[in-house]
Amino acid sequence: GGYMQSPGGFGSAGAQAEKKQRSRSQNIVPCTVSQLLAAEQVGETFRICDVEILQVTVVGIIRHAEKAPTNILYKVDDMTAAPMDVRQWVDTDEAGGENVVVPPGTYIKVAGHLRSFQNKKSLVAFKIMPLENMNEFTTHILEVVNAHMILRKNLLAASRVPQSCPPAGISDMGGFGGGGSLPLNGLTAHQSQVLNLIKSCPVPEGMSLQELKLQLHSMSMSTIKQAVEFLSSEGHIYSTVDDDHYKSTDVE
Amino acid sequence: MGDIHDVPRPRIATGHLAQHIGQPVCFVGRVEKIHPTGKLFVLSDGAGKNTTVELSEPLDEELSGIIEVVGRVTNQATIMCVSYVQFREDKSPFDLELYNEALKIIHEFPEYFPFG
């Protein structure tokens, strides 16, 4: 887990913009290149089914790789459109090691941010993983269909149900338990419930496991602990005063 | 004559060939046989149905396992191959049947996995 600052733009943003960007950080959507190309651009942000998309994953084959002093530019092809430019910034402080060029003909999974420059969309990758098991490629296909079906369903549900509260919660797909919408980020119902409670806790030391157990009557302590461990390892929460107290990394 | 890799290439199984005559496609299958001339090979899809793949130049390597072909469907419902790639199976075998199921899903829900 952890949110990476991409070059250009966010560093100088005020507190308001920073707060907005952190509430999107859980939104990592599996996509096809064609879906990324079709994403609606609203100012600096992109939307699919009216949900702000920040981080995406794409699986495709490298058709071309070009190494420059500060970055590696790949052309990644998933057959849904022409190959997309995927740029990976090279850590110039590290000698050799970290950024090895992945050769063309390799299937990879890319996690990154969508960008647009002079009307051309591209990805800035924060993680590039060559696929060792090609069944992950099949899984990605299924995850794309699942995620976009949920996005569409949520869009239809949101338009039908009148919102009495500001829709801030809807665009944050992470851990979305209530409101009838389905979580987009691969969290189970238990994990989402635990995360939502932790997020709602205003005190500095966060929520304790005991408090979680009090609020989640139907969940056993071991289920709660498993959920907490998972959420913590994924970067959604962090422990505060001790291993029994947690706060959300995502501030509304 | 544009590069076929710059256009959408729908992922298809053998059963879809007839609907894509003349069109660029992407086909994944298991090598069943290679013609002695090396200009033709047969792939089976996840449902066990065979597709013939033709090459303009004979193969210069031994093909086996799971191959992903990019090419155009001919009038004879074969695929004229433009490029191919072998799926790695050094760590885990590729589940071609599962891929076939995924194909059924993306053909049933093209709005959630659009080609183009």
Side-chain angles (χ1 to χ4, degrees):
Chain A
Y3 182 78
M4 282 200 44
Q5 285 240 331
S6 49
F10 291 133
S12 52
Q16 186 67 24
E18 221 190 301
K19 183 183 174 176
K20 259 200 227 160
Q21 109 194 7
R22 264 189 265 140
S23 74
R24 303 288 177 269
S25 65
Q26 290 192 71
N27 203 353
I28 183 154
V29 187
C31 291
T32 62
V33 169
S34 54
Q35 285 164 338
L36 295 180
L37 293 176
E40 195 192 334
Q41 185 170 5
V42 182
E44 290 296 308
T45 66
F46 299 94
R47 293 181 162 264
I48 296 179
C49 285
D50 209 39
V51 173
E52 189 181 341
I53 298 302
L54 191 53
Q55 298 175 36
V56 298
T57 57
V58 165
V59 168
I61 191 169
I62 296 177
R63 292 290 183 202
H64 186 76
E66 209 171 284
K67 192 167 168 110
T70 57
N71 69 88
I72 304 170
L73 177 62
Y74 293 105
K75 299 221 181 252
V76 177
D77 184 8
D78 72 354
M79 314 294 169
T80 64
M84 174 168 268
D85 283 357
V86 174
R87 193 167 263 104
Q88 185 180 35
W89 295 97
V90 166
D91 191 341
T92 48
D93 291 338
E94 271 189 53
E98 187 70 48
N99 293 114
V100 178
V101 177
V102 182
T106 311
Y107 254 97
I108 58 170
K109 182 171 195 171
V110 179
H113 300 102
L114 190 54
R115 288 279 181 275
S116 182
F117 181 66
Q118 293 177 344
N119 246 341
K120 183 172 179 183
K121 287 206 175 98
S122 65
L123 280 181
V124 170
F126 56 78
K127 200 157 187 197
I128 290 187
M129 300 156 282
L131 294 189
E132 299 201 332
N133 183 340
M134 282 304 292
N135 295 304
E136 285 184 50
F137 143 80
T138 308
T139 303
H140 182 79
I141 293 173
L142 298 169
E143 286 178 345
V144 167
V145 173
N146 186 52
H148 289 258
M149 189 177 280
I150 288 171
L151 281 171
R152 178 75 60 87
K153 280 196 180 146
N154 286 343
L155 177 66
L156 295 174
S159 60
R160 261 185 263 123
V161 175
Q163 293 297 316
S164 54
C165 51
I170 292 185
S171 49
D172 173 20
M173 298 305 295
F176 197 97
S181 298
L182 301 168
L184 190 58
N185 55 11
L187 294 187
T188 65
H190 286 151
Q191 290 160 356
S192 292
Q193 280 180 281
V194 170
L195 182 60
N196 279 339
L197 275 176
I198 294 176
K199 271 174 158 178
S200 67
C201 181
V203 302
E205 65 267 21
M207 192 153 220
S208 72
L209 292 176
Q210 286 68 35
E211 275 158 45
L212 284 170
K213 180 75 181 86
L214 275 175
Q215 302 230 23
L216 298 165
H217 321 285
S218 58
M219 238 187 264
S220 70
M221 190 46 120
S222 73
T223 307
I224 293 173
K225 281 189 178 166
Q226 274 173 39
V228 162
E229 209 175 287
F230 176 82
L231 292 169
S232 175
S233 70
E234 291 287 303
H236 295 295
I237 61 176
Y238 60 96
S239 58
T240 56
V241 293
D242 59 28
D243 281 343
D244 282 342
H245 288 79
Y246 291 86
K247 269 195 93 65
S248 166
T249 53
D250 190 61
V251 181
E252 273 297 329
Chain B
M1 195 57 192
D3 188 344
I4 201 176
H5 299 99
D6 287 336
V7 298
R9 290 138 285 158
R11 290 186 173 278
I12 61 162
T14 299
H16 301 122
L17 283 169
Q19 298 129 271
H20 289 87
I21 305 278
Q23 291 169 27
V25 294
C26 174
F27 185 93
V28 176
R30 181 172 281 116
V31 179
E32 294 298 334
K33 49 179 178 269
I34 303 175
H35 194 266
T37 60
K39 292 192 72 179
L40 200 152
F41 56 92
V42 176
L43 299 178
S44 60
D45 69 10
K49 303 215 189 102
N50 288 353
T51 286
T52 301
V53 179
E54 299 179 61
L55 298 154
S56 46
E57 292 300 318
L59 284 169
D60 60 359
E61 57 176 346
E62 226 17 80
L63 266 193
S64 67
I66 305 293
I67 303 293
E68 180 179 72
V69 169
V70 165
R72 207 174 278 273
V73 183
T74 67
N75 291 337
Q76 293 76 42
T78 63
I79 297 178
M80 190 66 202
C81 174
V82 173
S83 72
Y84 68 83
V85 137
Q86 180 163 1
F87 276 11
R88 65 181 291 185
E89 291 189 283
D90 55 323
K91 297 232 163 94
S92 310
F94 181 69
D95 189 337
L96 190 58
E97 289 71 37
L98 180 66
Y99 175 75
N100 203 66
E101 293 302 311
L103 282 192
K104 287 184 192 164
I105 287 173
I106 65 179
H107 281 257
E108 190 180 339
F109 299 103
E111 64 271 36
Y112 303 127
F113 201 93
F115 283 94

